Amino acid sequence: MKFDMDYIAHHNELTEFNPYFKLFLSIILLIVTLALDNLYFDVFIFVVMSIVILAIAKINYRSYLKFLSIPMAFLIITCIFLLFFFGKGDVIYETGIFGIVVTTDSYHYAVYTFMRVLGCLPCLGFLALTTPIAKVLNCLRTLKVPKILVEIALLMYNSIFIFLNEIDTMQKAQNSRLGYHSYWTSFKSLGALASTIFLRSLDKSETLQHSLDSRGYDGELPVYKPRKMEE
């Protein structure tokens, strides 16, 4: 199943719910989670917001896990570095490899960083998976966020999907040529993918710029403004 965050944001039980409430709730929970620095509260927020996403918004659990997978991978790598290479204090574990050890401070940093980020992820997921980007940008525009920031957010969002679409297209092309049928061919295909995806993304971005210019782009991107419901 292909993960399409934009489709999910438009097709869930909370899509039409007040976007301002969802935006403020996500921001407040993020601030509180970061400010309290409490492991139990982090777990509580993760569980509660996950229940809201899965049970109330009725988003497929596989889609939710895919949303969490990429930031979780970066989080685990970061915490491993914090655990073995940062912090001072008493040694609580020796790896026996080049003097690499785990200290009380490094253990504290790794655990608290992991739990705080874990608590923040479903807060962001709640907003991203239940609210279309057009409504989020309209909320920011209404709240007088500088136009340049709103436009940068819009272009970044579009560029991310261009990037992911290029990766998906290239992987399908490689799979059709048995590019991943062995370890050696898999490494070779991944190398080719990494070496060409950036150039392909730049080419797509240039095409996007040409399309904007052909439609009279004057330096300001219009933001979708939903019509008010008639009473």
Side-chain angles (χ1 to χ4, degrees):
M1 182 181 62
K2 181 181 177 181
F3 177 69
D4 190 342
M5 190 170 69
D6 197 54
Y7 177 84
I8 295 171
H10 282 85
H11 298 83
N12 64 83
E13 296 298 321
L14 295 178
T15 298
E16 300 302 327
F17 195 73
N18 191 325
Y20 293 95
F21 176 81
K22 290 186 286 187
L23 178 62
F24 282 118
L25 178 63
S26 299
I27 294 175
I28 291 173
L29 288 178
L30 280 173
I31 294 174
V32 173
T33 302
L34 292 173
L36 286 183
D37 196 17
N38 186 289
L39 296 180
Y40 298 105
F41 184 79
D42 296 336
V43 175
F44 173 77
I45 288 295
F46 178 82
V47 173
V48 170
M49 295 307 295
S50 296
I51 292 174
V52 172
I53 293 172
L54 297 174
I56 299 179
K58 298 187 183 305
I59 292 173
N60 186 281
Y61 75 95
R62 293 183 180 178
S63 299
Y64 181 52
L65 291 178
K66 286 187 176 182
F67 171 81
L68 295 177
S69 61
I70 295 179
M72 282 296 292
F74 283 100
L75 174 60
I76 292 173
I77 294 173
T78 301
C79 289
I80 289 175
F81 275 93
L82 288 175
L83 184 63
F84 291 105
F85 300 104
F86 290 87
K88 300 180 180 180
D90 299 330
V91 176
I92 59 177
Y93 178 73
E94 295 184 6
T95 63
I97 303 175
F98 300 110
I100 298 175
V101 297
V102 177
T103 65
T104 52
D105 285 347
S106 65
Y107 178 78
H108 173 85
Y109 292 152
V111 171
Y112 274 79
T113 299
F114 182 86
M115 297 306 297
R116 291 175 76 179
V117 176
L118 187 68
C120 292
L121 284 178
C123 300
L124 293 174
F126 171 72
L127 180 64
L129 296 175
T130 64
T131 312
I133 187 62
K135 293 185 178 181
V136 175
L137 296 179
N138 178 64
C139 291
L140 296 178
R141 182 188 61 81
T142 306
L143 295 172
K144 305 302 180 182
V145 173
K147 289 183 179 180
I148 184 64
L149 296 181
V150 177
E151 292 177 2
I152 289 175
L154 176 60
L155 291 174
M156 288 179 62
Y157 187 82
N158 182 75
S159 299
I160 289 172
F161 277 93
I162 291 175
F163 184 77
L164 294 177
N165 184 66
E166 285 299 305
I167 292 178
D168 183 64
T169 302
M170 294 178 66
Q171 283 184 333
K172 287 180 178 178
Q174 290 176 335
N175 279 322
S176 66
R177 295 172 175 81
L178 301 179
Y180 295 94
H181 77 284
S182 67
Y183 287 110
W184 171 248
T185 56
S186 296
F187 281 117
K188 186 176 180 180
S189 297
L190 286 174
L193 178 66
S195 63
T196 58
I197 188 61
F198 181 68
L199 296 177
R200 292 284 296 274
S201 299
L202 286 179
D203 182 64
K204 289 292 184 179
S205 298
E206 186 176 357
T207 302
L208 173 62
Q209 183 62 49
H210 291 328
S211 65
L212 288 172
D213 293 337
S214 66
R215 290 168 174 79
Y217 175 65
D218 58 357
E220 180 177 346
L221 292 172
V223 176
Y224 168 74
K225 182 179 181 181
R227 291 181 299 177
K228 295 183 178 180
M229 298 291 291
E230 296 183 0
E231 297 181 358

